[in-house]
Amino acid sequence: MRIAHPALPLFVGAACLVLTLTGCTDEDGTTHARQTPSVSTAPTLAPALTAAQARDVITRYSKTNNEANTNRSRRLLDSVEGGPLYAMSVSDYTETEGLPAADRKPYKPWSYDSANAKLYIPRLGAEQDRWFVAALAGQKGKAPSRLGVFAEHPRHKRWEMVSVVDLDSRKLPDVALDRGYATAVPADGNKQPATGAHLLRAAVLDNFVTGGTNTGRKVFASTKSSRRQIKVHDKTGIRYGKQATTVFAGAANRYTDAYALKTTDGGALVLFSHTHTQTDTVAHSGLQINPSKDDRAWLHDMPRTSITYTFVCNDAATVPAKARPSRLIGYTCARTDAAGPPVQSWTNRA
């Protein structure tokens, strides 16, 4: 996936009927508390799929993804991708299609190393949607550098890759494994993890919007990823000087699914997504923002007085078992839209 932010263009006794702990009364009237047996309601858990099946899913994804990318086939891509990842990939297609043929880079086929992928397959209940996480490398012999989430489409019963995050470190999170399988935990909840996906998402947005002033620096310890987000806020906000302003904001997020696995310290690895915008606006009339060639598919080379870019991003964080700062370990963004009013002279000409 591509990043990110455009370059400068200018989630006892007689029996009693009981349920759990009951009180029964003797003939002398004394009441005794008694623990009675209860039927366990814990769901039966089973692995989402076998390791061999998971590797087949990864192999199929790579093969089909290459076929789709060769001709920018959204229909074929939709058979192996979903969620935020599909939106990000389609934005790549759109951006490419906005370029003149001479500026389009030839597509180079690639493949994930499925044989050496590190698999984190959770045990799930029969009523739960199936998913798993894989640490992936884009080349054989290389250490995994990405975390990908694969989920089974509930209606079509096909596996799709829905999220991928580039990690800032080759050291993978310490996911707890029991006989080779991972333990899924609630991504949002009051007990585990200590910080849910909704709070993590809000903190990520705060990194972009305020530079982490409100919650970003409180929720997250300082890591390469969190510092990079804060740097985007700090540097992008002043790039135009006095000629234009840049404002970041959270945006409507269609991708609220989040995935969490128990880690060896009792915490969790949480994978989630967010959406934010970046709005550049000229300081006064007479100024204009000239779109770059990568914006052409959305802005059609027309100078604008304001441009709002929309970004869909995948994020990964490790959350401790106790109330301590979480660690953002990677994120990946793609611009999925750009819009804004043209300067008056261009509007009149049109």
Coordinates of all heavy atoms in Angstrom, one line a residue, residues 5 203-214 217 225-240 245-249 276-280 311 331:
H5 N 0.6 11.0 2.9 CA 0.2 12.3 2.7 C 0.9 12.9 1.5 O 2.0 12.6 1.2 CB 0.5 13.1 4.0 CG -0.2 12.5 5.1 ND1 0.4 11.5 5.8 CD2 -1.4 12.8 5.7 CE1 -0.5 11.1 6.8 NE2 -1.5 11.9 6.7
A203 N -6.8 7.9 20.0 CA -5.4 8.4 20.3 C -4.6 8.6 19.0 O -3.9 9.5 18.8 CB -4.7 7.4 21.2
V204 N -4.8 7.6 18.0 CA -4.1 7.8 16.7 C -4.6 9.1 16.1 O -3.8 9.9 15.5 CB -4.4 6.5 15.9 CG1 -4.1 6.8 14.4 CG2 -3.5 5.4 16.4
L205 N -5.9 9.3 16.1 CA -6.5 10.5 15.4 C -5.9 11.7 16.1 O -5.6 12.7 15.5 CB -8.0 10.4 15.5 CG -8.7 9.5 14.6 CD1 -10.2 9.4 14.9 CD2 -8.5 9.8 13.1
D206 N -5.8 11.7 17.4 CA -5.2 12.8 18.2 C -3.8 13.1 17.8 O -3.4 14.3 17.7 CB -5.3 12.6 19.7 CG -4.9 13.8 20.5 OD1 -5.6 14.9 20.3 OD2 -3.9 13.8 21.2
N207 N -3.0 12.0 17.5 CA -1.7 12.3 17.0 C -1.7 13.1 15.7 O -0.8 14.0 15.6 CB -1.0 10.9 16.7 CG -0.5 10.2 18.0 OD1 -0.4 10.8 19.0 ND2 -0.1 9.0 17.8
F208 N -2.6 12.8 14.8 CA -2.6 13.6 13.6 C -3.2 15.0 13.8 O -2.8 16.0 13.3 CB -3.5 12.8 12.6 CG -2.8 11.7 11.9 CD1 -3.1 10.4 12.2 CD2 -1.7 11.9 11.0 CE1 -2.5 9.3 11.6 CE2 -1.1 10.8 10.4 CZ -1.5 9.5 10.7
V209 N -4.3 15.1 14.6 CA -5.1 16.3 14.7 C -4.4 17.3 15.6 O -4.3 18.5 15.3 CB -6.5 16.0 15.3 CG1 -7.2 17.3 15.6 CG2 -7.3 15.1 14.3
T210 N -3.8 16.9 16.7 CA -3.2 17.9 17.7 C -1.7 17.6 17.9 O -1.1 18.3 18.6 CB -3.9 17.8 19.0 OG1 -3.5 16.6 19.7 CG2 -5.4 17.9 18.9
G211 N -1.1 16.6 17.3 CA 0.2 16.2 17.6 C 0.3 15.4 18.8 O 1.4 15.4 19.5
G212 N -0.8 14.8 19.3 CA -0.8 13.9 20.5 C -1.0 14.7 21.8 O -0.9 14.1 22.8
T213 N -1.4 16.0 21.7 CA -1.5 16.8 22.9 C -2.6 16.3 23.8 O -2.4 16.4 25.1 CB -1.9 18.3 22.5 OG1 -0.8 18.7 21.6 CG2 -2.0 19.1 23.7
N214 N -3.7 15.9 23.4 CA -4.9 15.5 24.2 C -4.8 14.1 24.8 O -4.7 13.9 26.0 CB -6.2 15.7 23.5 CG -6.4 17.2 23.2 OD1 -6.0 18.1 23.9 ND2 -7.1 17.4 22.1
R217 N -0.3 11.2 23.3 CA 0.9 11.0 24.1 C 0.6 10.3 25.4 O 1.6 9.8 26.1 CB 1.7 12.3 24.3 CG 2.1 12.9 23.0 CD 2.8 14.3 23.3 NE 3.0 15.1 22.1 CZ 4.2 15.1 21.5 NH1 5.2 14.4 22.0 NH2 4.3 15.9 20.4
S225 N 6.5 4.6 15.3 CA 5.2 4.9 14.6 C 4.4 6.1 15.2 O 3.9 6.9 14.4 CB 4.3 3.6 14.7 OG 4.8 2.6 13.9
S226 N 4.3 6.2 16.5 CA 3.6 7.3 17.1 C 4.4 8.6 16.8 O 3.7 9.6 16.5 CB 3.4 7.1 18.6 OG 4.6 7.0 19.3
R227 N 5.7 8.6 16.9 CA 6.5 9.8 16.5 C 6.3 10.2 15.1 O 6.2 11.4 14.8 CB 7.9 9.6 16.8 CG 8.3 9.5 18.3 CD 9.8 9.6 18.6 NE 10.5 8.5 17.9 CZ 10.8 7.3 18.5 NH1 10.3 7.0 19.7 NH2 11.5 6.4 17.9
R228 N 6.2 9.2 14.2 CA 6.0 9.5 12.8 C 4.6 10.2 12.6 O 4.5 11.1 11.8 CB 6.1 8.2 12.0 CG 6.0 8.4 10.5 CD 6.8 7.3 9.8 NE 6.3 5.9 10.2 CZ 5.4 5.2 9.5 NH1 4.9 5.7 8.4 NH2 5.1 4.0 9.9
Q229 N 3.6 9.7 13.2 CA 2.3 10.4 13.1 C 2.3 11.8 13.6 O 1.8 12.7 13.0 CB 1.2 9.6 13.9 CG 0.9 8.2 13.2 CD -0.1 7.4 14.0 OE1 -0.4 7.7 15.2 NE2 -0.7 6.4 13.4
I230 N 3.0 12.0 14.7 CA 3.1 13.4 15.3 C 3.9 14.3 14.4 O 3.6 15.4 14.2 CB 3.7 13.3 16.7 CG1 2.7 12.6 17.7 CG2 4.1 14.7 17.2 CD1 3.3 12.3 19.0
K231 N 4.9 13.7 13.8 CA 5.7 14.5 12.8 C 4.9 14.9 11.6 O 5.1 16.0 11.1 CB 6.9 13.7 12.4 CG 7.9 14.4 11.5 CD 9.1 13.6 11.2 CE 10.1 14.3 10.3 NZ 11.3 13.5 9.9
V232 N 4.0 14.0 11.2 CA 3.1 14.4 10.0 C 2.3 15.6 10.4 O 2.2 16.6 9.6 CB 2.2 13.2 9.7 CG1 1.1 13.7 8.7 CG2 2.9 12.1 9.0
H233 N 1.8 15.7 11.6 CA 1.0 16.8 12.1 C 1.9 18.1 12.2 O 1.5 19.1 11.6 CB 0.4 16.6 13.5 CG -0.1 17.8 14.1 ND1 0.7 18.6 15.0 CD2 -1.3 18.4 14.1 CE1 0.0 19.6 15.4 NE2 -1.2 19.6 14.9
D234 N 3.0 17.9 12.8 CA 3.9 19.1 13.0 C 4.5 19.6 11.7 O 4.5 20.9 11.5 CB 5.0 18.7 13.9 CG 4.6 18.4 15.4 OD1 3.4 18.7 15.7 OD2 5.4 17.8 16.1
K235 N 5.0 18.8 10.9 CA 5.7 19.3 9.6 C 4.7 19.7 8.6 O 4.9 20.7 7.9 CB 6.6 18.2 9.1 CG 7.7 17.8 10.0 CD 8.7 19.0 10.3 CE 9.8 18.5 11.1 NZ 10.8 19.6 11.4
T236 N 3.6 18.9 8.4 CA 2.7 19.3 7.3 C 1.9 20.5 7.7 O 1.6 21.3 6.8 CB 1.7 18.1 7.1 OG1 2.4 16.9 6.9 CG2 0.7 18.4 5.9
G237 N 1.7 20.8 8.9 CA 0.9 22.0 9.4 C 1.6 23.3 9.1 O 1.0 24.3 9.0
I238 N 2.9 23.3 8.8 CA 3.6 24.5 8.6 C 4.3 24.6 7.2 O 5.0 25.5 6.9 CB 4.7 24.7 9.7 CG1 5.8 23.6 9.6 CG2 4.1 24.8 11.1 CD1 7.0 23.8 10.5
R239 N 4.0 23.6 6.4 CA 4.7 23.6 5.1 C 4.4 24.7 4.2 O 5.2 25.1 3.3 CB 4.5 22.2 4.4 CG 3.0 22.0 4.0 CD 2.8 20.7 3.4 NE 1.4 20.5 3.1 CZ 1.0 19.7 2.0 NH1 1.9 19.2 1.2 NH2 -0.2 19.6 1.8
Y240 N 3.2 25.3 4.3 CA 2.9 26.5 3.4 C 3.2 27.8 4.0 O 3.0 28.8 3.4 CB 1.4 26.4 3.1 CG 0.9 25.3 2.2 CD1 -0.1 24.4 2.6 CD2 1.5 25.2 0.9 CE1 -0.5 23.4 1.8 CE2 1.0 24.2 0.1 CZ 0.1 23.3 0.5 OH -0.4 22.3 -0.3
T245 N -3.1 27.2 5.2 CA -3.1 26.4 6.5 C -3.4 24.9 6.2 O -4.0 24.6 5.2 CB -4.2 26.9 7.4 OG1 -5.5 26.8 6.7 CG2 -4.0 28.4 7.8
T246 N -3.0 24.1 7.1 CA -3.3 22.6 7.0 C -4.0 22.2 8.3 O -3.4 22.4 9.4 CB -2.1 21.8 6.7 OG1 -1.5 22.2 5.5 CG2 -2.4 20.3 6.7
V247 N -5.1 21.6 8.2 CA -5.9 21.1 9.4 C -6.2 19.6 9.2 O -6.8 19.2 8.2 CB -7.2 21.9 9.6 CG1 -8.0 21.3 10.8 CG2 -6.9 23.4 9.8
F248 N -5.9 18.8 10.2 CA -6.3 17.4 10.2 C -7.5 17.2 11.1 O -7.8 17.9 12.0 CB -5.1 16.5 10.8 CG -3.9 16.5 10.0 CD1 -2.9 17.4 10.1 CD2 -3.8 15.5 9.0 CE1 -1.7 17.3 9.4 CE2 -2.6 15.4 8.2 CZ -1.6 16.3 8.4
A249 N -8.3 16.2 10.7 CA -9.6 15.9 11.5 C -9.9 14.4 11.3 O -9.5 13.8 10.3 CB -10.7 16.8 11.0
H276 N -9.0 9.5 8.4 CA -8.8 11.0 8.8 C -8.7 11.8 7.5 O -8.5 11.3 6.4 CB -7.6 11.2 9.7 CG -6.3 11.0 9.0 ND1 -5.6 9.8 9.1 CD2 -5.5 11.9 8.3 CE1 -4.4 10.0 8.4 NE2 -4.4 11.2 7.9
T277 N -8.9 13.1 7.7 CA -8.7 14.0 6.6 C -7.6 15.0 6.8 O -7.2 15.2 8.0 CB -10.1 14.8 6.3 OG1 -10.4 15.5 7.5 CG2 -11.2 13.8 6.0
Q278 N -7.2 15.6 5.8 CA -6.2 16.7 5.8 C -6.7 17.8 4.9 O -6.9 17.5 3.7 CB -4.8 16.2 5.3 CG -3.8 17.3 5.2 CD -2.6 16.8 4.4 OE1 -2.2 15.7 4.6 NE2 -2.0 17.7 3.6
T279 N -7.0 19.0 5.4 CA -7.5 20.0 4.6 C -6.5 21.2 4.5 O -6.1 21.8 5.5 CB -8.9 20.5 5.1 OG1 -9.8 19.5 5.2 CG2 -9.4 21.7 4.3
D280 N -6.1 21.4 3.2 CA -5.2 22.6 3.0 C -6.1 23.7 2.4 O -6.8 23.5 1.4 CB -4.2 22.2 1.9 CG -3.3 21.0 2.4 OD1 -3.2 20.8 3.6 OD2 -2.7 20.3 1.5
F311 N -7.8 9.9 4.0 CA -6.9 8.8 4.2 C -7.6 7.7 5.0 O -8.2 7.9 6.0 CB -5.7 9.2 4.9 CG -4.8 10.3 4.2 CD1 -5.1 11.6 4.5 CD2 -3.9 9.9 3.3 CE1 -4.3 12.6 3.8 CE2 -3.1 10.9 2.7 CZ -3.4 12.2 2.9
Y331 N 1.7 1.4 11.2 CA 0.5 1.8 10.6 C 0.8 2.1 9.1 O 1.9 2.3 8.7 CB -0.1 3.1 11.2 CG 0.6 4.4 10.9 CD1 0.2 5.2 9.9 CD2 1.8 4.8 11.6 CE1 0.8 6.4 9.5 CE2 2.4 6.0 11.3 CZ 2.0 6.8 10.2 OH 2.6 8.0 9.9

